[in-house]
Amino acid sequence: MYRILQNFIYLLPLILFLACASEKQDVETRNMDRFIDNLMKEMTLEEKIGQLTLYSSFMDETGPFMNEDYLDYIRVGRVGAVFNAYTTEYTREIQRIAVEETRLGIPLLFGYDVIHGHRTIFPMPIGETATWDLEMIEQSARYAAQEATAEGLNWTFSPMIDVTRDPRWGRIAESSGEDPLLASLVGRAKIRGYQGDDLSQPNTMLATAKHFAAYGFPQAGRDYHTVDISELTLRNVVLPAFKAAAEEGVATYMTSFNDLFGVPASGSNFLLNEVLRNEWGFDGFVVTDYTSINEMVPHGFARDDKHAGELAINAGVDMDMQGSVYHDYLEELVDDGKVNEETIEKAVRRILTLKYKLGLFEDPYRYNDKDREETMIMTLEIMDFARDFARKSVVLLKNEENTLPLSDDVRSLALIGPMADNQRDMIGSWSAAGDYAKSVTLRKGLENRLGTNARINYAQGTTVNGTDRSGFSQAIAAARNSDAVIMALGEEYWQSGEAASRSDISLPGVQEELFDEIIKLGKPVVVIIMSGRPLTIGNVDEKADAILYAWYLGTTTGDALADVMFGDYNPAAKLPVTFPRNVGQIPIFYYAKNTGRPESEIKFTSKYLDVPNTPLYPFGYGLSYTTFGYSDITLSSDQLPMDGELKATLSVTNTGDRFGEEVVQFYTRQLVGSVTRPLKELKNFQKIGLEPGETKEVVFTISAADLAFYNAQNELKAEPGAFHLFIGASSADVKKAAFTLLSK
Ligand code: NOJ
């Protein structure tokens, strides 16, 4: 008793502090609710509908332009938010119209696709995920928010947390790849980075979890195509990242363009009201992706736009991006008795609440600070970070006989290929207001690194997509006259991203022919590939001496690549997506199931006649300039009680001669389930750094909650039974142990 009392006295200040903080929060919430109640009492139905309307400005175009008169509509209170507008001056003027010329002066939200940086561009999301460095990912979002909010923005349409297994789909570039856990963790990190701890700070912004849901599963990888997946896949693969986003407190969700179970996402009561709001308790607002309300008509789900509007608002869509359907029809729909005014009011309240939390009612111009615009963008600190982040995204796929790193003694380098000296492509697609005039190409980066110590014999050789071979001879001559050859190949920036699906994902144009010509010279060839997706590079893999997969690295591309190529940084990135050998293997992903006829030498088993089942490079794969040795796994027990924990331990040793980082990956497999289970599922990972000869113990803890999955009744449960546990350097290179999950 005395002990309890002593503890209580000891904890008293903390208890009082927490009680005061929660009291303060209650008061703030009451004040906010009162403010919004009073405001809403003043609003006409037309003004309420205005809050549900989002229009694009003329500054940028991210889809079909729908409304020429958006400024006039702002003037009469019929617009709640604007996107594709930035710079303090431009957004200040638009905000001024809303605040000073409308009857109630309600400030606007300013949204934009700040996807992988705003002015300073960081690696493409698929590349940033390859770092497996959640702190850096969060920090990149923090810097993106710092820059974007200094230019008038307070809402980003990011993170995109669509899991996808299809590299034909161009938007794989904007995703975190194929794994549900990785997508959840990256999504959470970005949400924290954008939103910070306090939305009322002028350098934080609303984040958007998109695209809700299953947009990453279009048939045949064709953008906007039909999605037809099971509810098991939906619950176990697609939704975990969206659920994690709700838990992380994301402010908004964006619906997807596709249908799911025959219902377009913007008309899906199941997704929006049942799952998002009722199951997960989300209380922010839902915006459409562009004109996806209108698109319910061609989908064959709504008779006309008016009907589409009725379906969308009743399904739980709060804000209509660009489609003008709410603007044109919601009032009529209320008059016709098809939509309740309370439904509209709920949506308005959600939007006003976030405007309030951003502090816009207190100061509508808080994001229009010229000083910040002049001092907070592309600072030295951000550029240094960008370079470090970029080099950490580069995956070393092959390195025969330690071709890389290049020696400082090199006196002449041939730099060949269409991606070697092209500023625009360096920042990739969806690069927002990215200032590509400031991007460092590979050529420039090598010049910066080498100065006058070595000659760079540059030859473009060919274009990315053309068939002109007239530059081949110059490229061959450059290679002949140099100690080593670097080839920069890939896709142009617009060949991945939205509306950028490809049915053939090999290197475009005659780049591979050029590569074959150079290989014939017998010199060591390092290939650097820049692309937003895995390409089918079997031929390059067979013949090149070394391959670096660079995705699009952003503003500091050339410097970051030079760091990697000369060993100033030892690569440690790992693939967040499986690389197929050919298009026919797609979808190919590591958490596939065993099937009833797993591949063997017997004919009637699950395999191809012309290609192995294995990928070119597996999920989680990536080399280093050093090597790592993995010990066997020791388990704290081979039995895991339902309410207990189990520790799996192994040691990793740097067996090479330079410092290196390693992403140690932890997977499990349930051998028998009430529904069939994948061969492996990523459960955790740790990125560790090791000096030459150093050994570190890596411990993973697992409990029943980590093993839970959605069963056929849509219940999230762990099922007792036999498990395998794997720890290793990639999904295909692991040590194995076994344990049993007990029923109690
Ligand atoms: C369409 C894209 O699908 C979405 O991701 C983006 O945020 C909007 N356009 C706005 O630009």
Side-chain angles (χ1 to χ4, degrees), residues 586-605:
I586 298 170
I588 180 168
F589 50 100
Y590 83 90
Y591 52 92
K593 295 183 180 174
N594 204 32
T595 80
R597 293 187 176 196
E599 183 186 16
S600 75
E601 58 298 336
I602 297 167
K603 175 172 171 61
F604 296 100
T605 56

Side-chain angles (χ1 to χ4, degrees), residues 62 83-84 113 157 171 174 210-211 215 254 257 289-290 321 430 498:
T62 54
F83 70 119
N84 291 340
D113 290 281
F157 303 141
R171 300 200 81 169
E174 288 167 71
K210 74 185 188 185
H211 306 82
Y215 183 42
M254 186 185 288
F257 287 123
D289 191 357
Y290 228 82
M321 180 194 288
W430 279 121
E498 190 178 350

Side-chain angles (χ1 to χ4, degrees), residues 622-653:
L623 303 172
S624 160
Y625 296 152
T626 187
T627 44
F628 298 101
Y630 281 69
S631 74
D632 286 332
I633 302 170
T634 317
L635 294 185
S636 55
S637 162
D638 58 5
Q639 300 198 323
L640 170 60
M642 258 308 159
D643 59 356
E645 273 184 2
L646 186 148
K647 284 195 190 323
T649 308
L650 60 52
S651 344
V652 184
T653 305

Side-chain angles (χ1 to χ4, degrees), residues 423 426 436 438-445 448 554-559:
Q423 285 189 301
M426 297 305 99
Y436 65 81
K438 297 208 176 92
S439 70
V440 182
T441 66
L442 176 56
R443 185 181 185 185
K444 183 81 184 111
N448 291 345
T555 311
T556 60
T557 298
D559 290 327

Side-chain angles (χ1 to χ4, degrees), residues 304-565:
D304 50 30
D305 281 358
K306 182 172 170 187
H307 184 208
E310 174 191 336
L311 293 168
I313 190 88
N314 288 331
V317 168
D318 300 305
M319 191 183 273
D320 174 4
M321 180 194 288
Q322 192 68 349
S324 238
V325 175
Y326 283 4
H327 173 106
D328 293 343
Y329 299 108
L330 266 194
E331 210 170 341
E332 265 180 55
L333 285 164
V334 172
D335 290 345
D336 297 350
K338 299 281 187 197
V339 172
N340 269 328
E341 203 165 333
E342 293 90 81
T343 309
I344 294 176
E345 281 177 351
K346 276 192 195 157
V348 175
R349 183 175 289 279
R350 291 178 189 128
I351 292 160
L352 293 179
T353 300
L354 283 168
K355 288 186 175 181
Y356 188 97
K357 288 187 176 166
L358 285 170
L360 285 172
F361 288 106
E362 210 177 272
D363 175 9
Y365 302 110
R366 63 187 324 167
Y367 302 94
N368 305 91
D369 177 346
K370 259 249 163 274
D371 266 3
R372 286 186 58 218
E373 186 169 45
E374 274 156 22
T375 55
M376 305 300 270
I377 291 177
M378 294 189 107
T379 60
L380 266 182
E381 179 187 316
I382 301 180
M383 297 298 259
D384 283 349
F385 170 86
R387 178 171 177 167
D388 193 25
F389 196 30
R391 62 195 195 168
K392 288 191 165 138
S393 305
V394 181
V395 188
L396 177 64
L397 292 180
K398 184 177 180 190
N399 196 17
E400 286 293 286
E401 312 206 1
N402 297 327
T403 307
L404 286 173
L406 297 175
S407 151
D408 275 324
D409 298 335
V410 87
R411 287 292 158 261
S412 57
L413 264 184
L415 177 60
I416 297 170
M419 301 301 284
D421 196 22
N422 170 341
Q423 285 189 301
R424 175 61 191 91
D425 285 332
M426 297 305 99
I427 62 172
S429 68
W430 279 121
S431 32
D435 190 350
Y436 65 81
K438 297 208 176 92
S439 70
V440 182
T441 66
L442 176 56
R443 185 181 185 185
K444 183 81 184 111
L446 288 173
E447 281 167 9
N448 291 345
R449 175 65 173 70
L450 294 170
T452 52
N453 291 342
R455 206 178 56 244
I456 298 172
N457 296 318
Y458 167 69
Q460 185 182 322
T462 185
T463 56
V464 171
N465 285 288
T467 51
D468 184 0
R469 296 169 179 82
S470 62
F472 280 24
S473 52
Q474 198 199 347
I476 291 167
R480 277 214 177 96
N481 295 330
S482 308
D483 298 340
V485 183
I486 296 162
M487 294 197 73
L489 309 174
E491 290 177 310
E492 286 183 58
Y493 78 93
W494 52 267
Q495 289 182 284
S496 58
E498 190 178 350
S501 295
R502 293 181 66 205
S503 67
D504 169 1
I505 54 168
S506 59
L507 282 164
V510 291
Q511 295 182 81
E512 211 150 312
E513 272 182 49
L514 174 63
F515 165 76
D516 281 331
E517 289 303 318
I518 300 292
I519 283 289
K520 280 187 202 153
L521 304 177
K523 298 230 169 185
V525 175
V526 176
V527 176
I528 296 175
I529 296 183
M530 299 184 200
S531 161
R533 59 157 64 81
L535 295 173
T536 46
I537 49 166
N539 179 44
V540 176
D541 173 65
E542 200 185 308
K543 300 174 187 160
D545 296 274
I547 307 174
L548 289 170
Y549 217 82
W551 319 102
Y552 298 110
L553 291 179
T555 311
T556 60
T557 298
D559 290 327
L561 279 171
D563 288 346
V564 173
M565 288 163 65

Side-chain angles (χ1 to χ4, degrees), residues 2 5 102 111 288 309 312 385 396 422 469 481 501 518 608 659 665 742:
Y2 174 70
L5 207 62
T102 65
T288 59
F385 170 86
L396 177 64
N422 170 341
R469 296 169 179 82
N481 295 330
S501 295
I518 300 292
Y608 300 100
F659 173 81
Q665 301 157 43
L742 305 175

